[in-house]
Amino acid sequence: MSKIKLLIGAFVLGLSSLLPGQRAWEGRYVAFNIANDILVLPVKTDQYFTSGLTLELGRIENTSSGLLANNRATHQRYWRLTQNIFTPKEIESSDLLTDDRPFASYFVISRGQAYHNPDLGFHLTSEWTAGVLGKYAMGEQAQNAFHNIVDFAEPLPGWRNEVKPDIILNYRLRLEQRYALGSRAALTTALDGRLGTLHTDVAPEVGFNLQLIRLSATKSLTFKTFVSGRFVAHNATLTGGPFNRDERFRDVIKPDVFVRTFGIDGFIDLNALRLQGGFRYLSREFVGGDSHMWAWMGVRVMPGRG
């Protein structure tokens, strides 16, 4: 519960710092998202990737690309806090499971920047991440607190078998190209790569964006869908980190080297407020595992926009 209160408190504090009074939007924003497989109704599972919280504070500024005159390029910088939680399918078992996903959680802080040029249809994101894997990420406390709130399950004894604590250091680079299909639709291609102690993988991606309703520049309804195939070299939430080696799972849980993801997201922009959410489907992530679904929802506040 303390981690949830911390994230909500930080969201309120960040929001209040962005609201000194009425003024034009200066590119600053604060966003809060929650993800959970319990949101996929009526399935309502509690396994694999089961919960996530993110808090992001950033700023988007106009910049010059040096390639085109009168271009509309932007430069985005942000800080993000993330806690993600993973549990086995046999969630109520107190035994050490060697044929299922282990209990795992991580808490990280990310510093990223993104360059976007809509005239060229080009988007580049670069991000550094640091944090902790294992019990110090407080996944057990966060999940039990959420279960108490929704009256979904009792505290889970299997958390004592969580992957061992380890240090997280990761880098992410994403290249995306947009191909306009008229004024409201676009095809996108992307390449997303991660390297580090948490994830090492690369994923080509194809997507489609559609602005279904446009009332003004700051009032719209947009949908985005994508399909990706991720080639996986390392996933610490399955086999533990590289420093504090966890021999209970290393070479026992065998990650799939190719994981497919399908996603669909929706965004409602109402001047300074954005309501957002989406759905994810993942193919199995390890030998003997199953496919998985989860959903997310959130809000972004952009004071002065509109």
Side-chain angles (χ1 to χ4, degrees):
M1 178 66 78
S2 59
K3 187 63 65 64
I4 296 176
K5 290 181 178 179
L6 174 63
L7 287 171
I8 294 176
F11 176 76
V12 174
L13 180 62
L15 178 59
S16 63
S17 70
L18 296 174
L19 295 172
Q22 296 294 324
R23 63 183 183 186
W25 188 46
E26 297 178 345
R28 291 185 173 87
Y29 68 88
V30 56
F32 179 74
N33 296 328
I34 179 170
N36 204 293
D37 55 351
I38 200 175
L39 298 175
V40 184
L41 300 174
V43 180
K44 225 169 78 168
T45 62
D46 201 10
Q47 64 187 39
Y48 300 165
F49 173 70
T50 189
S51 180
L53 297 170
T54 65
L55 171 69
E56 180 174 317
L57 291 90
R59 186 172 186 178
I60 303 172
E61 300 175 294
N62 293 327
T63 187
S64 175
S65 69
L67 299 175
L68 296 175
N70 302 319
N71 71 82
R72 299 173 293 155
T74 59
H75 188 198
Q76 175 186 3
R77 296 181 177 89
Y78 59 86
W79 290 95
R80 182 191 299 126
L81 292 173
T82 303
Q83 184 196 49
N84 283 336
I85 300 172
F86 305 83
T87 57
K89 187 174 183 179
E90 299 296 328
I91 192 172
E92 296 182 353
S93 175
S94 60
D95 298 329
L96 177 64
L97 303 174
T98 58
D99 57 353
D100 203 344
R101 193 185 231 291
F103 283 87
S105 62
Y106 62 83
F107 184 74
V108 295
I109 182 170
S110 300
R111 175 59 169 170
Q113 57 181 335
Y115 171 81
H116 176 62
N117 191 317
D119 296 316
L120 297 176
F122 178 72
H123 190 95
L124 170 67
T125 302
S126 174
E127 180 181 285
W128 289 95
T129 295
V132 292
L133 171 75
K135 65 180 182 180
Y136 299 114
M138 299 180 67
E140 176 183 6
Q141 293 85 342
Q143 186 179 50
N144 287 334
F146 182 76
H147 284 175
N148 289 335
I149 292 173
V150 300
D151 193 25
F152 186 66
E154 297 296 325
L156 304 174
W159 274 106
R160 66 188 180 190
N161 299 315
E162 184 177 9
V163 297
K164 290 182 178 180
D166 213 329
I167 296 172
I168 291 175
L169 294 171
N170 242 81
Y171 177 70
R172 175 179 177 239
L173 182 68
R174 178 180 174 87
L175 304 171
E176 183 174 325
Q177 184 65 46
R178 182 180 186 271
Y179 306 92
L181 303 174
S183 61
R184 296 192 181 186
L187 177 70
T188 62
T189 58
L191 186 65
D192 196 313
R194 299 181 292 184
L195 176 66
T197 65
L198 179 61
H199 294 114
T200 296
D201 50 37
V202 62
E205 178 185 304
V206 177
F208 177 74
N209 301 346
L210 176 64
Q211 191 175 64
L212 192 62
I213 299 175
R214 179 183 173 89
L215 301 179
S216 69
T218 57
K219 294 182 179 179
S220 62
L221 171 62
T222 304
F223 289 98
K224 299 181 179 181
T225 185
F226 72 90
V227 177
S228 71
R230 187 171 297 277
F231 296 90
V232 179
H234 172 65
N235 183 345
T237 69
L238 286 171
T239 59
F243 301 124
N244 188 18
R245 291 173 60 93
D246 198 331
E247 302 299 341
R248 298 172 301 170
F249 305 114
R250 187 177 296 273
D251 297 325
V252 176
I253 305 297
K254 299 185 182 301
D256 274 13
V257 297
F258 184 69
V259 179
R260 300 176 302 279
T261 303
F262 168 77
I264 182 168
D265 300 322
F267 305 88
I268 301 174
D269 279 294
L270 299 170
N271 294 326
L273 181 67
R274 173 179 291 174
L275 304 177
Q276 52 196 16
F279 164 86
R280 296 290 183 272
Y281 168 85
L282 276 70
S283 66
R284 74 173 199 181
E285 296 183 277
F286 61 96
V287 176
D290 296 322
S291 59
H292 183 49
M293 296 181 292
W294 53 273
W296 69 278
M297 59 183 180
V299 60
R300 175 185 283 200
V301 180
M302 300 160 280
R305 183 174 182 258

